[in-house]
Amino acid sequence: MELNKFIDHTLLSPSATEADILKLCDEALKYRFYSVCVNSNYVALAKQAIGRSNVKICSVVGFPLGAMSTEAKIFEAKNAIDQGATEIDMVINIGRLKSKNYLAVLKDISKVKKAIGFTTLKVILEISELSKNEIVKACEICIDAKADFVKTSTGFSKSGATLTAVKIMKKTVRGQLKIKASGGIRDAETALKYIEVGVSRIGASAGVAMMNDEYSTAAY
């Protein structure tokens, strides 16, 4: 298995410098990761560093809270695409979901997806904030909103991905959406467990460590 092809090589720290982003991109080129994932203000820099390679550029939107207006999310997403992003990871409106205002959640995602067209949209559920039933409902809404992926976590909340949550997500989406696991995945053995249960992408800042440890070297 080519583990590198599953990895969104990620750096979303608010203190990340330009040099840090350039290093991230160099690592992505070296290991041929699927993408780099950066905050929207660094998309243009990442695009310049990635050049004409096959590495994609993912930008987060409404990150990490998901509580800003839909119009703000749309503006940020479209601007990121104009700067070179090829995928958008947006945070679901967690408060609206927990309020059971499902129509508002649906409109939020649907309008972003409509605005970005064929650009891949991953919706971050932030599973640590949700019950099992809320995870199921969020996945159902994402199907109706025509998102492309559901994603476990931002990595900025109480905890990250869990195998239990991914299994719930997989059972709910029934192949209609892909799944991205992120948050707390720091070694190749753990990453491969998530891939085995059905995720299509791993969001991680530890991609290089994964590729350099003994287990992943064999997979790579």
Short mmCIF file of all heavy atoms in Angstrom, two decimals, residues 154-201:
data_model
loop_
_atom_site.label_atom_id
_atom_site.label_comp_id
_atom_site.label_asym_id
_atom_site.label_seq_id
_atom_site.Cartn_x
_atom_site.Cartn_y
_atom_site.Cartn_z
N THR A 154 -10.94 18.79 13.53
CA THR A 154 -10.01 19.87 13.19
C THR A 154 -8.62 19.63 13.74
O THR A 154 -7.64 20.17 13.24
CB THR A 154 -10.49 21.22 13.77
OG1 THR A 154 -10.52 21.13 15.21
CG2 THR A 154 -11.87 21.60 13.24
N GLY A 155 -8.54 18.86 14.83
CA GLY A 155 -7.28 18.72 15.56
C GLY A 155 -7.10 19.80 16.60
O GLY A 155 -6.11 19.83 17.32
N PHE A 156 -8.10 20.69 16.74
CA PHE A 156 -8.02 21.80 17.69
C PHE A 156 -9.02 21.66 18.83
O PHE A 156 -9.15 22.57 19.64
CB PHE A 156 -8.25 23.12 16.96
CG PHE A 156 -7.06 23.61 16.18
CD1 PHE A 156 -6.66 22.97 15.02
CD2 PHE A 156 -6.32 24.70 16.62
CE1 PHE A 156 -5.56 23.40 14.30
CE2 PHE A 156 -5.21 25.15 15.90
CZ PHE A 156 -4.82 24.49 14.74
N SER A 157 -9.73 20.55 18.91
CA SER A 157 -10.73 20.37 19.95
C SER A 157 -10.22 19.37 20.99
O SER A 157 -9.02 19.11 21.08
CB SER A 157 -12.05 19.90 19.34
OG SER A 157 -13.09 19.95 20.29
N LYS A 158 -11.12 18.79 21.75
CA LYS A 158 -10.75 17.95 22.89
C LYS A 158 -10.00 16.69 22.48
O LYS A 158 -9.13 16.21 23.21
CB LYS A 158 -12.01 17.57 23.67
CG LYS A 158 -12.65 18.75 24.37
CD LYS A 158 -13.94 18.38 25.05
CE LYS A 158 -15.06 18.11 24.05
NZ LYS A 158 -16.38 17.94 24.71
N SER A 159 -10.34 16.15 21.32
CA SER A 159 -9.66 14.95 20.82
C SER A 159 -9.86 14.88 19.32
O SER A 159 -10.60 15.69 18.74
CB SER A 159 -10.20 13.69 21.50
OG SER A 159 -11.59 13.54 21.24
N GLY A 160 -9.21 13.92 18.69
CA GLY A 160 -9.27 13.81 17.25
C GLY A 160 -10.06 12.60 16.79
O GLY A 160 -11.08 12.24 17.38
N ALA A 161 -9.56 11.97 15.75
CA ALA A 161 -10.26 10.84 15.15
C ALA A 161 -10.32 9.63 16.09
O ALA A 161 -9.43 9.45 16.93
CB ALA A 161 -9.54 10.43 13.86
N THR A 162 -11.37 8.85 15.96
CA THR A 162 -11.45 7.55 16.63
C THR A 162 -11.95 6.53 15.61
O THR A 162 -12.72 6.87 14.70
CB THR A 162 -12.42 7.56 17.83
OG1 THR A 162 -13.77 7.73 17.36
CG2 THR A 162 -12.07 8.67 18.81
N LEU A 163 -11.52 5.30 15.77
CA LEU A 163 -11.99 4.24 14.88
C LEU A 163 -13.49 4.04 15.02
O LEU A 163 -14.18 3.76 14.04
CB LEU A 163 -11.23 2.94 15.16
CG LEU A 163 -9.77 2.92 14.71
CD1 LEU A 163 -9.06 1.70 15.29
CD2 LEU A 163 -9.66 2.91 13.18
N THR A 164 -13.99 4.18 16.24
CA THR A 164 -15.43 4.00 16.47
C THR A 164 -16.24 5.01 15.67
O THR A 164 -17.22 4.66 15.00
CB THR A 164 -15.76 4.15 17.97
OG1 THR A 164 -15.08 3.12 18.70
CG2 THR A 164 -17.25 4.03 18.21
N ALA A 165 -15.83 6.28 15.72
CA ALA A 165 -16.55 7.31 14.98
C ALA A 165 -16.46 7.08 13.48
O ALA A 165 -17.44 7.26 12.75
CB ALA A 165 -16.00 8.68 15.33
N VAL A 166 -15.28 6.68 13.00
CA VAL A 166 -15.13 6.44 11.56
C VAL A 166 -16.04 5.31 11.11
O VAL A 166 -16.65 5.36 10.03
CB VAL A 166 -13.66 6.13 11.22
CG1 VAL A 166 -13.54 5.56 9.81
CG2 VAL A 166 -12.82 7.40 11.34
N LYS A 167 -16.18 4.28 11.92
CA LYS A 167 -17.07 3.17 11.57
C LYS A 167 -18.53 3.64 11.50
O LYS A 167 -19.29 3.20 10.63
CB LYS A 167 -16.91 2.03 12.57
CG LYS A 167 -15.58 1.31 12.44
CD LYS A 167 -15.40 0.25 13.54
CE LYS A 167 -14.04 -0.43 13.44
NZ LYS A 167 -13.82 -1.39 14.54
N ILE A 168 -18.91 4.53 12.43
CA ILE A 168 -20.26 5.10 12.39
C ILE A 168 -20.45 5.91 11.12
O ILE A 168 -21.49 5.81 10.43
CB ILE A 168 -20.50 5.99 13.63
CG1 ILE A 168 -20.53 5.14 14.90
CG2 ILE A 168 -21.82 6.78 13.49
CD1 ILE A 168 -20.49 5.97 16.18
N MET A 169 -19.47 6.73 10.79
CA MET A 169 -19.54 7.54 9.58
C MET A 169 -19.62 6.68 8.33
O MET A 169 -20.45 6.93 7.44
CB MET A 169 -18.31 8.46 9.52
CG MET A 169 -18.28 9.51 10.63
SD MET A 169 -16.64 10.24 10.94
CE MET A 169 -16.45 11.24 9.46
N LYS A 170 -18.80 5.64 8.27
CA LYS A 170 -18.81 4.75 7.11
C LYS A 170 -20.16 4.06 6.94
O LYS A 170 -20.69 3.97 5.83
CB LYS A 170 -17.70 3.71 7.24
CG LYS A 170 -17.61 2.76 6.06
CD LYS A 170 -16.44 1.80 6.20
CE LYS A 170 -16.45 0.72 5.12
NZ LYS A 170 -16.38 1.29 3.76
N LYS A 171 -20.72 3.58 8.05
CA LYS A 171 -22.02 2.91 7.99
C LYS A 171 -23.11 3.86 7.53
O LYS A 171 -24.03 3.48 6.79
CB LYS A 171 -22.36 2.34 9.37
CG LYS A 171 -23.67 1.57 9.40
CD LYS A 171 -23.92 0.97 10.78
CE LYS A 171 -25.23 0.20 10.82
NZ LYS A 171 -25.49 -0.36 12.18
N THR A 172 -23.00 5.13 7.93
CA THR A 172 -24.04 6.12 7.60
C THR A 172 -23.95 6.57 6.14
O THR A 172 -24.98 6.67 5.46
CB THR A 172 -23.93 7.34 8.53
OG1 THR A 172 -23.98 6.92 9.89
CG2 THR A 172 -25.06 8.32 8.26
N VAL A 173 -22.75 6.85 5.67
CA VAL A 173 -22.63 7.42 4.31
C VAL A 173 -22.79 6.36 3.23
O VAL A 173 -23.07 6.68 2.06
CB VAL A 173 -21.30 8.17 4.11
CG1 VAL A 173 -21.18 9.30 5.12
CG2 VAL A 173 -20.09 7.24 4.19
N ARG A 174 -22.58 5.09 3.58
CA ARG A 174 -22.84 3.97 2.66
C ARG A 174 -22.19 4.18 1.28
O ARG A 174 -22.81 3.94 0.25
CB ARG A 174 -24.35 3.76 2.49
CG ARG A 174 -25.10 3.48 3.78
CD ARG A 174 -26.56 3.21 3.55
NE ARG A 174 -27.23 4.28 2.83
CZ ARG A 174 -27.68 5.38 3.39
NH1 ARG A 174 -27.54 5.60 4.68
NH2 ARG A 174 -28.28 6.32 2.66
N GLY A 175 -20.97 4.67 1.30
CA GLY A 175 -20.26 4.84 0.04
C GLY A 175 -20.63 6.08 -0.74
O GLY A 175 -20.04 6.34 -1.80
N GLN A 176 -21.58 6.87 -0.25
CA GLN A 176 -21.99 8.08 -0.98
C GLN A 176 -21.02 9.23 -0.78
O GLN A 176 -20.97 10.16 -1.60
CB GLN A 176 -23.40 8.50 -0.52
CG GLN A 176 -24.46 7.46 -0.86
CD GLN A 176 -25.82 7.86 -0.34
OE1 GLN A 176 -26.49 8.72 -0.92
NE2 GLN A 176 -26.25 7.28 0.77
N LEU A 177 -20.28 9.20 0.32
CA LEU A 177 -19.24 10.18 0.59
C LEU A 177 -17.97 9.45 0.98
O LEU A 177 -18.02 8.33 1.50
CB LEU A 177 -19.63 11.12 1.75
CG LEU A 177 -20.92 11.93 1.62
CD1 LEU A 177 -21.13 12.73 2.90
CD2 LEU A 177 -20.86 12.85 0.43
N LYS A 178 -16.82 10.08 0.76
CA LYS A 178 -15.57 9.54 1.25
C LYS A 178 -15.34 10.06 2.67
O LYS A 178 -16.03 10.97 3.14
CB LYS A 178 -14.43 9.95 0.32
CG LYS A 178 -14.54 9.35 -1.07
CD LYS A 178 -13.40 9.82 -1.97
CE LYS A 178 -13.54 9.24 -3.36
NZ LYS A 178 -12.44 9.71 -4.26
N ILE A 179 -14.38 9.45 3.35
CA ILE A 179 -14.11 9.79 4.75
C ILE A 179 -12.65 10.18 4.91
O ILE A 179 -11.76 9.51 4.40
CB ILE A 179 -14.45 8.62 5.68
CG1 ILE A 179 -15.94 8.25 5.57
CG2 ILE A 179 -14.10 8.96 7.13
CD1 ILE A 179 -16.31 6.97 6.28
N LYS A 180 -12.43 11.28 5.64
CA LYS A 180 -11.07 11.70 6.01
C LYS A 180 -10.95 11.65 7.53
O LYS A 180 -11.77 12.22 8.24
CB LYS A 180 -10.79 13.12 5.50
CG LYS A 180 -9.42 13.66 5.93
CD LYS A 180 -9.14 15.03 5.33
CE LYS A 180 -7.86 15.64 5.86
NZ LYS A 180 -7.57 16.97 5.24
N ALA A 181 -9.93 10.96 8.00
CA ALA A 181 -9.65 10.89 9.43
C ALA A 181 -8.51 11.83 9.75
O ALA A 181 -7.48 11.83 9.07
CB ALA A 181 -9.29 9.46 9.84
N SER A 182 -8.68 12.64 10.78
CA SER A 182 -7.63 13.59 11.17
C SER A 182 -7.71 13.85 12.66
O SER A 182 -8.75 13.67 13.30
CB SER A 182 -7.78 14.90 10.40
OG SER A 182 -9.01 15.53 10.73
N GLY A 183 -6.58 14.27 13.21
CA GLY A 183 -6.52 14.57 14.63
C GLY A 183 -5.94 13.42 15.42
O GLY A 183 -6.61 12.40 15.61
N GLY A 184 -4.69 13.53 15.83
CA GLY A 184 -4.09 12.53 16.69
C GLY A 184 -3.51 11.32 16.00
O GLY A 184 -3.09 10.37 16.68
N ILE A 185 -3.45 11.32 14.68
CA ILE A 185 -2.88 10.18 13.94
C ILE A 185 -1.41 10.50 13.69
O ILE A 185 -1.08 11.35 12.85
CB ILE A 185 -3.63 9.93 12.62
CG1 ILE A 185 -5.12 9.72 12.91
CG2 ILE A 185 -3.04 8.74 11.88
CD1 ILE A 185 -5.98 9.64 11.67
N ARG A 186 -0.52 9.80 14.40
CA ARG A 186 0.88 10.22 14.42
C ARG A 186 1.86 9.13 13.97
O ARG A 186 3.07 9.38 13.94
CB ARG A 186 1.26 10.69 15.82
CG ARG A 186 0.45 11.90 16.29
CD ARG A 186 0.93 12.43 17.62
NE ARG A 186 0.18 13.62 18.01
CZ ARG A 186 -0.93 13.59 18.75
NH1 ARG A 186 -1.40 12.42 19.18
NH2 ARG A 186 -1.56 14.71 19.06
N ASP A 187 1.38 7.95 13.66
CA ASP A 187 2.29 6.90 13.20
C ASP A 187 1.62 6.08 12.11
O ASP A 187 0.39 6.09 11.95
CB ASP A 187 2.71 6.00 14.37
CG ASP A 187 1.54 5.31 15.03
OD1 ASP A 187 1.06 4.29 14.50
OD2 ASP A 187 1.08 5.81 16.08
N ALA A 188 2.45 5.37 11.35
CA ALA A 188 1.95 4.63 10.19
C ALA A 188 1.02 3.50 10.58
O ALA A 188 0.02 3.24 9.90
CB ALA A 188 3.13 4.08 9.41
N GLU A 189 1.32 2.83 11.68
CA GLU A 189 0.46 1.71 12.09
C GLU A 189 -0.97 2.17 12.35
O GLU A 189 -1.93 1.54 11.92
CB GLU A 189 1.04 1.04 13.34
CG GLU A 189 0.28 -0.21 13.75
CD GLU A 189 0.93 -0.94 14.92
OE1 GLU A 189 1.95 -0.44 15.44
OE2 GLU A 189 0.42 -2.00 15.30
N THR A 190 -1.10 3.30 13.04
CA THR A 190 -2.44 3.85 13.30
C THR A 190 -3.11 4.29 12.00
O THR A 190 -4.30 4.03 11.78
CB THR A 190 -2.34 5.04 14.27
OG1 THR A 190 -1.72 4.61 15.47
CG2 THR A 190 -3.72 5.61 14.58
N ALA A 191 -2.37 4.96 11.15
CA ALA A 191 -2.92 5.41 9.87
C ALA A 191 -3.46 4.25 9.06
O ALA A 191 -4.56 4.31 8.48
CB ALA A 191 -1.87 6.16 9.08
N LEU A 192 -2.71 3.17 9.02
CA LEU A 192 -3.14 2.01 8.24
C LEU A 192 -4.39 1.37 8.82
O LEU A 192 -5.22 0.82 8.07
CB LEU A 192 -2.01 0.99 8.15
CG LEU A 192 -0.83 1.44 7.27
CD1 LEU A 192 0.35 0.49 7.43
CD2 LEU A 192 -1.24 1.53 5.80
N LYS A 193 -4.57 1.44 10.13
CA LYS A 193 -5.81 0.93 10.74
C LYS A 193 -7.02 1.71 10.24
O LYS A 193 -8.08 1.13 9.97
CB LYS A 193 -5.71 1.00 12.26
CG LYS A 193 -4.77 -0.02 12.87
CD LYS A 193 -4.72 0.14 14.39
CE LYS A 193 -3.76 -0.88 15.01
NZ LYS A 193 -3.66 -0.70 16.48
N TYR A 194 -6.85 3.02 10.11
CA TYR A 194 -7.96 3.84 9.60
C TYR A 194 -8.24 3.53 8.13
O TYR A 194 -9.40 3.47 7.71
CB TYR A 194 -7.65 5.33 9.79
CG TYR A 194 -7.93 5.82 11.19
CD1 TYR A 194 -6.91 5.92 12.13
CD2 TYR A 194 -9.22 6.15 11.58
CE1 TYR A 194 -7.17 6.35 13.42
CE2 TYR A 194 -9.50 6.59 12.86
CZ TYR A 194 -8.46 6.68 13.78
OH TYR A 194 -8.72 7.10 15.06
N ILE A 195 -7.20 3.34 7.37
CA ILE A 195 -7.38 2.99 5.96
C ILE A 195 -8.09 1.65 5.83
O ILE A 195 -8.97 1.47 4.98
CB ILE A 195 -6.02 2.99 5.24
CG1 ILE A 195 -5.45 4.41 5.18
CG2 ILE A 195 -6.15 2.42 3.83
CD1 ILE A 195 -4.01 4.49 4.74
N GLU A 196 -7.75 0.71 6.70
CA GLU A 196 -8.37 -0.61 6.65
C GLU A 196 -9.87 -0.56 6.93
O GLU A 196 -10.63 -1.38 6.39
CB GLU A 196 -7.69 -1.53 7.67
CG GLU A 196 -6.29 -1.98 7.25
CD GLU A 196 -5.53 -2.68 8.36
OE1 GLU A 196 -6.13 -2.87 9.46
OE2 GLU A 196 -4.36 -3.02 8.16
N VAL A 197 -10.31 0.41 7.75
CA VAL A 197 -11.75 0.50 8.04
C VAL A 197 -12.48 1.39 7.04
O VAL A 197 -13.69 1.58 7.14
CB VAL A 197 -12.04 0.98 9.48
CG1 VAL A 197 -11.46 0.01 10.49
CG2 VAL A 197 -11.52 2.39 9.71
N GLY A 198 -11.73 1.96 6.07
CA GLY A 198 -12.44 2.60 4.97
C GLY A 198 -12.20 4.06 4.71
O GLY A 198 -12.89 4.66 3.89
N VAL A 199 -11.22 4.70 5.38
CA VAL A 199 -10.99 6.11 5.08
C VAL A 199 -10.21 6.25 3.77
O VAL A 199 -9.41 5.40 3.41
CB VAL A 199 -10.25 6.86 6.22
CG1 VAL A 199 -10.96 6.66 7.55
CG2 VAL A 199 -8.80 6.46 6.30
N SER A 200 -10.48 7.33 3.08
CA SER A 200 -9.80 7.62 1.81
C SER A 200 -8.67 8.61 1.96
O SER A 200 -7.84 8.75 1.05
CB SER A 200 -10.81 8.17 0.79
OG SER A 200 -11.82 7.23 0.53
N ARG A 201 -8.63 9.32 3.10
CA ARG A 201 -7.59 10.31 3.31
C ARG A 201 -7.25 10.40 4.79
O ARG A 201 -8.14 10.25 5.65
CB ARG A 201 -8.04 11.67 2.80
CG ARG A 201 -6.93 12.61 2.35
CD ARG A 201 -6.39 12.31 0.97
NE ARG A 201 -7.39 12.44 -0.07
CZ ARG A 201 -7.80 13.59 -0.58
NH1 ARG A 201 -7.29 14.73 -0.14
NH2 ARG A 201 -8.70 13.62 -1.54
#
